[in-house]
Every structure is written in structure tokens, then in C-alpha cells.
């Protein structure tokens, strides 16, 4: 189970005209069709909405991690904060003994619209729609793996998987990836890398338009990539995830003890 690794770069669809301004939370999708907003959080309060978010994956057990990626962090609620109109996910070099029996060298934060436990009920699931978030990724990129993605609600495992934006040991390149099961059941995926750009300098809006016959990625209102292969497009209810993983593919430098990812807002629209 993983936010995607090792994307296979393909040629992107032609870019749309550059947006004049970075899209805001109130802006409807630029993709064709009539839309209505079904989920929104601009983090204007002083705490995370428990009605909308949990702070781990569906396999919550006093914390969690993504062992399938051999990541180094143990996710805990204390690494998640709402501060000054933004969601803050913080990774700290702090040895933590997880309920999985493993000692993790890092502690970090994540949020999901999923369950509080394996047998619980997801807070929000979505089948098709426009998913967008304003993200500022850590300037300290080496050893960090921030991601904005969708995972299946019923199976609690991937594929399928829609990776809206991933930053694998970089703040300069954003990866868009799509996973699905091949005929033999194995995971297969395709993707596209956008950059270079300084995604740590300020907020950028990353979005995906997931339709029954296509998946299309956007950055700041500009189309970057599209997949229309029928076998690749998912048709199952998904949970939304934002996380700051640590130690995927490489460990942070010894002199780095913390990093943080800021989320200005999250929005979901459907037809």
C-alpha cells in the first residue's frame, strides 16, 4: 500500500493556457461540465474537524505508518495542527515505538477522510470529481515524501490509486501518478513529472479531474497530464489523504531534524 513510487514518465497532454492567478478555494473547477461543491475545508478554526478528518490510515491503532513503502515515520495526531488558516503537518526526528512493535526514527502527521479503525465507517468517500488542494511543501526536501492522493475505501488497499501530487525527495518536481491492477493482478502505473518549480516558496494548487472515462491533472489551473485508457480509470469510492512521509528511497540528512507541509485548503466538487 503506497502513495506511488518510481513513476514512469509519459508525455503529458497539451498544456492549457496559463492561469492568470492561482485558483482559490471558492473557484469552481475549470474542467468542463456543471459542478457543485461536496467537501471543503479552509482550516479557519483552531483545531482539526473530527467530523471530516482522522489522523491515520484505516488501520489506526494508536498511530500508524505505511509499511509497504518502508517509510521511517510513525504518524501521530500531535503532529497535525490547524494554525492561522492552514493545516500543518510536521515531521520530527523523534524515536517513537509504534503499536506495530517497530521503533520508528521519525514521527510525522497525516490526515485522511477515512476511518478511525479498521471496522469503522469512513467520514467521506468520493467516486469521481474534482479534487484540489493548496499546498506548500517542505523546503527541506531530501528524505521527505509529501503527498496528496486517493485510496480505495472498501478494499483499504491499492491498486487502484490516484496520486494527485507527490514530491519524492524534491521540492522542485511534482509527480502525478495513476495505479491500476493489470490482467495478472499486479500493480501497474503511469505518471508524469512537472517542474522544475519552487513548490516550497509558496502555495500552489494541485488538482485532478477524475471522470468515468479519464483522469486529468492540473497545477495552478494548467493542465499537465491526462489518462484515458479504460483499464486505468478507477470506478470505486475513494478516501482523500494528505501526508508527510519520511525516509522513502532515502533518509533525511543527519543534520535535518524536522520538516513541515502546509495546506491552505482542500476542496472536492462533483457533477
Amino acid at each position: 500500500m503506497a502513495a506511488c513510487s518510481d513513476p514512469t514518465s509519459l508525455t503529458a497532454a497539451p498544456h492549457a493556457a496559463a492561469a492568470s492567478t492561482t485558483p482559490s478555494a471558492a473557484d469552481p473547477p475549470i474542467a468542463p461540465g456543471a459542478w457543485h461543491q461536496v467537501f471543503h475545508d479552509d482550516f479557519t478554526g483552531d483545531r482539526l474537524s473530527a467530523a471530516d478528518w482522522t489522523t491515520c490510515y484505516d488501520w489506526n491503532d494508536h498511530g500508524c505508518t505505511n509499511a509497504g513503502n518502508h517509510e521511517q515515520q510513525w504518524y501521530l495526531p500531535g503532529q497535525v495542527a490547524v494554525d492561522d488558516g492552514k493545516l500543518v503537518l510536521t515531521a520530527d526526528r523523534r524515536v517513537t515505538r509504534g503499536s506495530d512493535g517497530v521503533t520508528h526514527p521519525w514521527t510525522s502527521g497525516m490526515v485522511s477522510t477515512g476511518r478511525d479503525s479498521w471496522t469503522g465507517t469512513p467520514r467521506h468517500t468520493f467516486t469521481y470529481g474534482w479534487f484540489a488542494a493548496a499546498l506548500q511543501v517542505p523546503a527541506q526536501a531530501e528524505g521527505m515524501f509529501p503527498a496528496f492522493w486517493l485510496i480505495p475505501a472498501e478494499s483499504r488497499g491499492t491498486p487502484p490509486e490516484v496520486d494527485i501530487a507527490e514530491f519524492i525527495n524534491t521540492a522542485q518536481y511534482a509527480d502525478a501518478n495513476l495505479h491500476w491492477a493489470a490482467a495478472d493482478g499486479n500493480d501497474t502505473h503511469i505518471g508524469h513529472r512537472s517542474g522544475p518549480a519552487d513548490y516550497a516558496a509558496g502555495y500552489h494548487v494541485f488538482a485532478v479531474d477524475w471522470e468515468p472515462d479519464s483522469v486529468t491533472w492540473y497545477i495552478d489551473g494548467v493542465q499537465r497530464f491526462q489518462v484515458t485508457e479504460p483499464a486505468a480509470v478507477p470506478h470505486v469510492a475513494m478516501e482523500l489523504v494528505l501526508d508527510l512521509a519520511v525516509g522513502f528511497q532515502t533518509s533525511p540528512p543527519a543534520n535535518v531534524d524536522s520538516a513541515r507541509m502546509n495546506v491552505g485548503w482542500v476542496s472536492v466538487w462533483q457533477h
Side-chain angles (χ1 to χ4, degrees):
M1 165 76 174
C4 167
S5 62
D6 301 326
T8 301
S9 181
L10 298 184
T11 301
H15 290 190
S20 58
T21 59
T22 300
S24 75
D27 291 338
I30 64 172
W35 298 92
H36 65 280
Q37 195 172 59
V38 297
F39 179 83
H40 174 70
D41 198 340
D42 56 7
F43 308 108
T44 55
D46 59 1
R47 66 189 63 186
L48 190 70
S49 169
D52 293 325
W53 303 103
T54 185
T55 53
C56 276
Y57 296 110
D58 289 342
W59 50 90
N60 271 307
D61 186 11
H62 303 290
C64 64
T65 192
N66 189 341
N69 268 359
H70 307 291
E71 295 168 1
Q72 296 179 3
Q73 81 290 333
W74 184 250
Y75 290 119
L76 287 174
Q79 303 300 116
V80 179
V82 172
D83 177 53
D84 194 26
K86 62 183 177 294
L87 171 70
V88 182
L89 306 179
T90 301
D92 288 315
R93 188 187 293 274
R94 185 171 68 245
V95 175
T96 304
R97 179 77 172 177
S99 58
D100 59 355
V102 176
T103 298
H104 303 267
W106 284 76
T107 305
S108 191
M110 66 163 287
V111 295
S112 163
T113 62
R115 303 164 174 83
D116 282 330
S117 68
W118 185 262
T119 58
T121 300
R123 287 159 171 77
H124 303 281
T125 65
F126 312 94
T127 307
Y128 314 125
W130 173 274
F131 302 82
L135 308 180
Q136 182 180 23
V137 301
Q140 165 46 50
E142 186 179 355
M144 301 300 160
F145 182 15
F148 172 33
W149 54 306
L150 305 175
I151 61 175
E154 183 173 352
S155 67
R156 303 172 177 83
T158 65
E161 176 183 325
V162 181
D163 299 315
I164 304 169
E166 299 182 300
F167 302 85
I168 305 173
N169 301 300
T170 180
Q172 295 290 314
Y173 293 91
D175 290 333
N177 291 287
L178 185 62
H179 291 246
W180 70 98
D184 60 4
N186 289 327
D187 179 289
T188 187
H189 64 276
I190 55 178
H192 174 74
R193 172 163 282 192
S194 296
D198 191 353
Y199 294 119
Y203 286 100
H204 294 268
V205 175
F206 301 88
V208 74
D209 177 18
W210 169 26
E211 302 288 344
D213 58 358
S214 65
V215 183
T216 308
W217 286 258
Y218 296 81
I219 300 177
D220 293 331
V222 179
Q223 182 178 324
R224 302 289 180 161
F225 183 49
Q226 185 177 69
V227 175
T228 58
E229 183 177 342
V233 178
H235 304 287
V236 300
M238 298 276 206
E239 300 170 357
L240 187 156
V241 180
L242 290 147
D243 64 59
L244 177 51
V246 183
F248 176 64
Q249 296 184 348
T250 189
S251 298
N255 63 344
V256 172
D257 293 322
S258 66
R260 77 183 225 171
M261 172 182 178
N262 296 328
V263 183
W265 53 263
V266 179
S267 186
V268 181
W269 299 67
Q270 290 181 327
H271 293 302

